[in-house]
Amino acid sequence: AGTGPVALTKQQAAKASCNLDGSGTATIRASSNISSVTDNATGKFTHAFTNSFSDVNSITAGCNNKSDDTTTYNRIVSLPGAASASQVVTWSVRADTLAIEDPEFLQFVQHGDLA
């Protein structure tokens, strides 16, 4: 058992993140490298990056849910065809019915190289 800091190799921090309230008018609670969010339709959002990524191959990971949802677990879906170096599109999909719905809590991180 060592007492010093853990040495990590080839580590990469998220280059963008967003905590969004997608119910009603989309509102960013907290974010990093997100300049704006556009509510395109029910459960579908475009997140514009303040600083673009170097290419379209960045990775999106996240989740979504509603505070009153105790029986249904939801997930976030990123659309690879709709991604670009300057934005990413997410859909909020219910895991049990695959219905698209507005989430109360949508959080994601974006990994990749900035331009």
Side-chain angles (χ1 to χ4, degrees), residues 18-31 37-39 45 47 103-106:
C18 188
N19 180 340
L20 178 77
D21 181 348
S23 61
T25 301
T27 305
I28 297 174
R29 290 186 182 96
S31 70
V37 174
T38 302
D39 189 344
F45 304 93
H47 311 266
E104 185 176 351
F105 299 96
L106 184 147

Side-chain angles (χ1 to χ4, degrees), residues 3-24:
T3 58
V6 175
L8 301 175
T9 58
K10 297 185 181 181
Q11 60 184 330
Q12 185 184 63
K15 302 297 190 312
S17 64
C18 188
N19 180 340
L20 178 77
D21 181 348
S23 61

Side-chain angles (χ1 to χ4, degrees), residues 12-16 33-34 47 49 51-61 78-89 108-115:
Q12 185 184 63
K15 302 297 190 312
N33 195 25
I34 302 293
H47 311 266
F49 301 124
N51 297 297
S52 295
F53 283 77
S54 60
D55 57 39
V56 300
N57 297 317
S58 58
I59 299 166
T60 305
S78 174
L79 303 175
S84 74
S86 62
Q87 68 184 27
V88 67
V89 176
F108 77 91
V109 293
Q110 193 82 14
H111 290 268
D113 294 326
L114 295 177

Side-chain angles (χ1 to χ4, degrees), residues 57-86:
N57 297 317
S58 58
I59 299 166
T60 305
C63 61
N64 72 76
N65 215 327
K66 292 186 175 185
S67 62
D68 62 351
D69 192 353
T70 59
T71 59
T72 304
Y73 296 97
N74 297 322
R75 58 189 164 92
I76 187 174
V77 177
S78 174
L79 303 175
S84 74
S86 62

